[in-house]
Amino acid sequence: MVRNAASPVRWPDLSPRVRELFRRAAEIALNPSAEWIERLHAAALGGERMRAVTEDPVLEAATRRANLANLLHWAAANVHNPGRRVPANVSNEVLEAARDLVRRGLDESGLDAYRTAQSVAWRRWMEICFDLTRDPAELHALLDVSALSIATFVEDTINAVSERMRDERAELRRGTHAERRAVVTLLLEGAPISRARAEAQLGYGLTGPHTALILWSTATTASDQLGAAADAVMRASGAAHRLTVVASAASLWVWLPVGTAPGVDELTDALAALPDIRVALGRPGPNVEGFRRSHLDAAATQRMLTRLTSPRQVARYEDVQLVALLTAEPSQADEFLTATLGDLCHADPDTQETVATYVREQCNTTRTAERLYTHRNTVLRRLARADELLPRPLAENVVDVAAALEVLRWRGMR
């Protein structure tokens, strides 16, 4: 037995045969299937303690990247040095996720995902080991050192990341960000903080109208383009100033003192040079309650866009409110689409768009033809085709069909 210099953990010596089995198993673990990775994320992000993470798409995405990075780090280390103690993972993916937790005012409980992921990884690792050997002595030695290796790696990583989180928290306390973030949190939670005190600490007036936005990057690393995107949004709105809070390494919370939000097309044009940036807008509202409600609207819009993996770059809450409600539970949304649209779900875009336009034009075929720049007979043929595809005739189910087609639109499927 040898003692690792990093801690008093005693590490077993392995025979060449067990080391080779460990190496082969690690090579297999380096190529996990997409289905297994989803099971890993589902387990790691489940539970009440992870709710604050899963309610924020940017935090959830960062945690997913960190979990996968931990798995690949451990497996790769064991390909090169099978059965040896694996150094803590302090890669960019892991540290960025930790910084995001701190910037959102969360503590080390967000690292519970690492321990939960450990149990899923262990079950998969045992399956791999049993596929490689059925020799009892080999399995005993292999699984014994594997359990020690995985548990030690996870705890070493959590300890290292926790230390970095403490450093990040101390750094934030020395700046204005923590104060601004704390005040905004109080306002969003409806805490009894005076308007005058909040305005003084934020440097932002809370009387009058507000439009809240959330800007985030879909790139795998933090984007330097967020500030440029916030500037572009402010110019498009005509606002003279804004309040900005750094929510994470890849997202900003922004408030503009305007009662009319800039249009979606206008914002999309303004962000044309920043394709990785997404923007969710809340409804404008007055005073402190408008400040709060507009942000909650923007957060709901962001969650919907992320949940549907929507290709849209910009979305307003008033445009997605119904879709957000319908898709809050993804499995139920899929059932609703299938039951409502049937084969129309997979119809050609022209037929789907004709039905959607027909409903918007109050079931008037002449106006539908004018809106689509096509002949009225073409509209009639497409509507007849839609009736063949729908489980129920369109005339009997207009509202549900329109809602289902709107879900498809935001999913980028029509």
Side-chain angles (χ1 to χ4, degrees), residues 244-367:
T244 302
V245 172
V246 178
S248 71
S251 64
L252 298 178
W253 293 350
V254 176
W255 283 264
L256 302 172
V258 295
T260 302
V264 171
D265 291 342
E266 186 179 7
L267 279 182
T268 302
D269 289 342
L271 298 170
L274 304 168
D276 292 331
I277 301 299
R278 299 290 181 268
V279 180
L281 295 90
R283 291 170 294 180
N287 305 323
V288 173
E289 180 55 29
F291 178 95
R292 175 179 178 274
R293 192 199 67 191
S294 188
H295 174 79
L296 296 178
D297 287 351
T301 305
Q302 181 196 28
R303 288 195 297 271
M304 189 218 74
L305 290 175
T306 305
R307 185 167 60 243
L308 299 184
T309 60
S310 175
R312 303 298 181 92
Q313 188 173 16
V314 180
R316 301 184 306 172
Y317 180 77
E318 50 262 60
D319 295 333
V320 304
Q321 187 173 9
L322 175 61
V323 176
L325 290 171
L326 289 174
T327 60
E329 176 50 57
S331 62
Q332 292 180 5
D334 290 339
E335 291 175 7
F336 171 71
L337 290 178
T338 300
T340 303
L341 297 180
D343 291 336
L344 187 61
C345 262
H346 313 292
D348 61 277
D350 287 341
T351 300
Q352 292 181 350
E353 186 60 29
T354 297
V355 174
T357 306
Y358 178 69
V359 174
R360 287 197 297 271
E361 294 301 326
Q362 300 178 332
C363 301
N364 185 298
T365 52
T366 300
R367 288 203 302 267

Side-chain angles (χ1 to χ4, degrees), residues 48 59 107 109 130 149 180 185 193 197 213 226 232 256 387 407:
E48 187 63 29
L59 283 184
D107 59 21
S109 63
F130 274 91
S149 177
R180 187 183 302 159
T185 299
I193 179 174
R197 177 189 164 200
L213 307 92
L226 283 169
L256 302 172
D387 268 341
V407 172

Side-chain angles (χ1 to χ4, degrees), residues 67-106:
N67 281 334
L68 184 57
N70 282 336
L71 169 68
L72 299 180
H73 177 93
W74 183 85
N78 278 294
V79 168
H80 296 293
N81 293 294
R84 303 295 294 272
R85 184 168 183 167
V86 178
N89 183 16
V90 287
S91 62
N92 287 337
E93 294 91 345
V94 171
L95 294 184
E96 283 184 3
R99 282 194 290 268
D100 286 353
L101 291 173
V102 173
R103 288 167 179 169
R104 288 296 310 278
L106 301 176

Side-chain angles (χ1 to χ4, degrees), residues 203-256:
Y204 177 84
L206 293 172
T207 56
H210 308 281
T211 296
L213 307 92
I214 297 178
L215 294 82
W216 72 101
S217 171
T218 59
T220 55
T221 56
S223 174
D224 295 331
Q225 299 176 331
L226 283 169
D231 290 339
V233 168
M234 190 172 73
R235 287 193 299 270
S237 71
H241 62 284
R242 69 174 188 260
L243 170 65
T244 302
V245 172
V246 178
S248 71
S251 64
L252 298 178
W253 293 350
V254 176
W255 283 264
L256 302 172

Side-chain angles (χ1 to χ4, degrees), residues 190-205:
I193 179 174
S194 72
R195 179 178 59 79
R197 177 189 164 200
E199 288 179 337
Q201 292 181 305
L202 294 175
Y204 177 84

